[in-house]
Amino acid sequence: MGGRQRMTISWMSLADGASPWPDAHVVIAGVGVSGFAAADGLLQLGARVTVLDDAATEANADKGALLEVLGATVRLGPGSTAALPEGADLVVTTGFPPSAPILVQALAGSVPIWSEVELAWRLSRPAKVVPWLGITGTNGKTTTTQMLEAMLTAAGLKTAAVGNIGRPVMEIVLDPEPYDVLAVELSSHQLHWSSSLALHSSVVLNLQPDHLSWHGGMEAYGAAKAKIYEGVSHACVYNVADRATEAMVEQADVVEGARAIGFTLGTPAPSMLGVVDELLVDRAFIEQRRDSALELATLADVARAAGAVAGPGGDAVPPPHVVANALAAAALARSYGVPATAVRDGLRNVRVGAHKIADVGERRGVRYVDDSKATNPHAADAALRAFGDPDDPSGSRVVWVAGGQAKGTRFDDLVVAHAPRLRAAVLLGVDAPVVAEALARHAPDVPVEVVTSAEDGRTTPTGTARGAADVMARVVAAASSLARPGDVVLLAPGCASLDMFVDYAARGDAFTEAVRALAP
């Protein structure tokens, strides 16, 4: 390593927006939305920027051409991220796992690795410091972030939902408009490569197995999530029903005076938010919290936000996990001083949940529901529970559509819990056998159909969007043939989608298209 690089790395550990970026060579791994924003920001600061991406798609080529005009060096195509460019002082990664060759080489050469989120945090200092309210967890991040943004907006604050949702945080750093506070969704991938974040308040909604192949195991996955509490100055919000999240708060190194705030679906103790008589209430951010609570909103407000459908009694009932999301969002909003009326108005104004318990329609007495966003078993469990307790015979029977990329997770507990309610299961995707094996072990009487590609008999099609749509059409046809009037056909894959679709939204859209093509 040359003398210039050693000198650059010597200030890189404390780098911020006022550092001598023209002296630095920064490598951006990935030219997606956040990678482009990171490169753009660094070029504006005068850094030498090299952008690498193994995918030479038309969209990447367009972004790369623009970045080259702005002064970046861009390399696209297979093998582009196989080797760390010589003289790199910093690598900014946009989702690459620790095992990626470029990152392994960077670590071996003591070259710092940051997420785009870490870069944005640092470059916002000292000139554009904005408080962050951070949200992470295995499930519910996007819903909670959208609810929080709506509550902050209802309070008259200039805000945005950013991070793993909406706009990259770097775009806010580059935006000349001033912001009061940000609602920041943070994934475990982003947190893994972040080290200096010190948020106003934050929450870990829940912790369940997910992304285990990326992180290398559950312990590393949990450690990444726990980073969101480090350095918090006001409130560490945790899930009372998930002891792991409270343990993270207990172990976090926070600013003196920061409070631990719980949320629960039951009656809250002091320093918690919870539910009493169909009301969301606050016993944390009021002076008389030892013997009273402040009404924030109603369950009907949450149901409206979630687009919940009216049940047999005529009233729309929000799924429990959505109520938990609303309480977590309210806790973060209240930690920032948002009044109770803004919590209520935010829930009344927001509509959340694209591809999340979304009613697609009814055909011949069978209801079709899209929860393509259920990309792990815990999320699939929440989706299945939205149609009744597993042990309640009055709940809807479900034809479960599942499969995709399991990411190292297992489905045994999920199948054990819901076997009594499953009418049948229709499986697709590269890890359909993983789900099928769990069903065979724990629900041998549940009919299972695995839909493979028409071209080659695999569970994964040839990679074309049309091929994936054709497979989904056959999945929906199979589910329709297995369902009976009064049943629900539920797309809750419990797996990621990238083996067949560009993302979970494309998977949900294909499901919706296939349902609408069914005979009425």
Side-chain angles (χ1 to χ4, degrees):
M1 185 182 299
R4 176 191 160 278
Q5 190 171 353
R6 283 196 298 270
M7 180 178 66
T8 303
I9 291 176
S10 71
W11 59 258
M12 193 65 73
S13 62
L14 300 174
D16 60 18
S19 297
W21 288 102
D23 295 338
H25 176 201
V26 184
V27 174
I28 311 290
V31 72
V33 175
S34 58
F36 181 89
D40 187 20
L42 288 163
L43 288 167
Q44 291 188 36
L45 290 172
R48 176 187 167 200
V49 175
T50 299
V51 180
L52 310 174
D53 200 305
D54 292 324
T57 63
E58 183 178 351
N60 284 355
D62 290 343
K63 293 190 189 81
L66 179 54
L67 289 174
E68 286 180 328
V69 170
L70 297 174
T73 299
V74 179
R75 295 209 307 263
L76 304 177
S80 294
T81 65
L84 181 68
E86 186 176 353
D89 300 315
L90 170 68
V91 176
V92 176
T93 175
T94 58
F96 283 65
S99 59
I102 191 173
L103 302 186
V104 171
Q105 293 168 41
L107 290 171
S110 299
V111 177
I113 303 171
W114 298 351
S115 65
E116 174 263 342
V117 167
E118 174 76 5
L119 177 71
W121 175 266
R122 288 171 177 262
L123 295 191
S124 68
R125 284 146 171 76
K128 294 197 68 174
V129 175
V130 179
W132 289 16
L133 304 177
I135 301 99
T136 195
T138 304
N139 297 301
K141 297 184 292 295
T142 298
T143 297
T144 304
T145 305
Q146 291 172 331
M147 288 177 167
L148 174 59
E149 179 191 30
M151 293 171 188
L152 296 170
T153 299
L157 297 165
K158 175 69 173 178
T159 188
V162 295
N164 202 44
I165 176 179
R167 301 167 63 188
V169 194
M170 270 302 302
E171 287 193 5
I172 300 298
V173 176
L174 301 175
D175 193 335
E177 286 289 318
Y179 286 80
D180 297 311
V181 60
L182 298 177
V184 187
E185 178 183 323
L186 295 168
S187 71
S188 60
H189 301 170
Q190 292 167 321
L191 287 165
H192 179 88
W193 298 116
S194 300
S195 59
S196 65
L197 306 185
L199 279 56
H200 178 285
S201 298
S202 63
V203 63
V204 178
L205 298 168
N206 41 61
L207 186 70
Q208 295 292 327
D210 198 13
H211 301 294
L212 301 189
S213 56
W214 195 100
H215 288 280
M218 190 66 188
E219 183 176 353
Y221 174 61
K225 292 291 190 187
K227 281 188 172 186
I228 201 169
Y229 290 129
E230 294 299 315
V232 161
S233 58
H234 285 73
C236 294
V237 181
Y238 66 92
N239 184 347
V240 174
D242 193 330
R243 171 59 189 155
T245 66
E246 186 176 10
M248 291 176 183
V249 174
E250 293 169 350
Q251 296 163 13
D253 184 9
V254 301
V255 174
E256 185 175 354
R259 298 175 59 197
I261 305 295
F263 66 90
T264 174
L265 295 177
T267 302
S271 293
M272 293 182 187
L273 280 70
V275 180
V276 177
D277 295 332
E278 299 192 351
L279 299 175
L280 276 63
V281 299
D282 174 1
R283 289 191 70 187
F285 299 101
I286 58 172
E287 290 187 8
Q288 302 299 321
R289 56 181 172 269
R290 294 192 178 278
D291 53 19
S292 61
L294 175 66
E295 177 183 339
L296 299 176
T298 67
L299 290 181
D301 294 326
V302 180
R304 182 184 307 169
V309 177
D315 295 326
V317 179
H321 65 280
V322 180
V323 179
N325 296 157
L327 290 165
L332 292 175
R334 294 285 289 159
S335 79
Y336 195 70
V338 166
T341 52
V343 172
R344 178 201 65 200
D345 293 344
L347 289 172
R348 290 179 177 178
N349 294 335
V350 73
R351 291 295 178 270
V352 298
H355 305 290
K356 188 70 177 173
I357 312 290
D359 267 272
V360 174
E362 187 173 306
R363 295 290 187 275
R364 299 181 180 182
V366 176
R367 180 180 170 193
Y368 292 81
V369 176
D370 166 17
D371 200 319
S372 184
K373 205 169 187 298
T375 58
N376 56 63
H378 186 248
D381 175 73
L384 287 160
R385 289 180 186 276
F387 302 99
D389 187 274
D391 298 322
D392 182 0
S394 66
S396 300
R397 297 292 298 277
V398 175
V399 177
W400 179 33
V401 178
Q405 294 167 305
K407 300 174 290 184
T409 59
R410 309 298 296 177
F411 290 80
D412 297 81
D413 291 346
L414 176 66
V415 171
V416 168
H418 294 282
R421 293 265 311 289
L422 295 180
R423 173 79 67 193
V426 182
L427 309 179
L428 74 166
V430 67
D431 286 328
V434 176
V435 187
E437 289 165 8
L439 286 160
R441 282 192 294 270
H442 306 294
D445 295 331
V446 173
V448 176
E449 185 164 340
V450 178
V451 176
T452 59
S453 167
E455 292 93 341
D456 56 16
R458 296 180 299 160
T459 52
T460 309
T462 56
T464 65
R466 188 65 262 163
D470 288 344
V471 171
M472 185 60 81
R474 290 190 293 114
V475 164
V476 170
S480 175
S481 69
L482 292 164
R484 301 176 186 175
D487 287 354
V488 173
V489 172
L490 172 65
L491 173 66
C495 295
S497 59
L498 298 181
D499 58 328
M500 298 180 66
F501 301 91
V502 295
D503 53 25
Y504 73 81
R507 178 171 60 189
D509 290 342
F511 178 79
T512 299
E513 179 183 343
V515 171
R516 289 174 178 169
L518 291 174

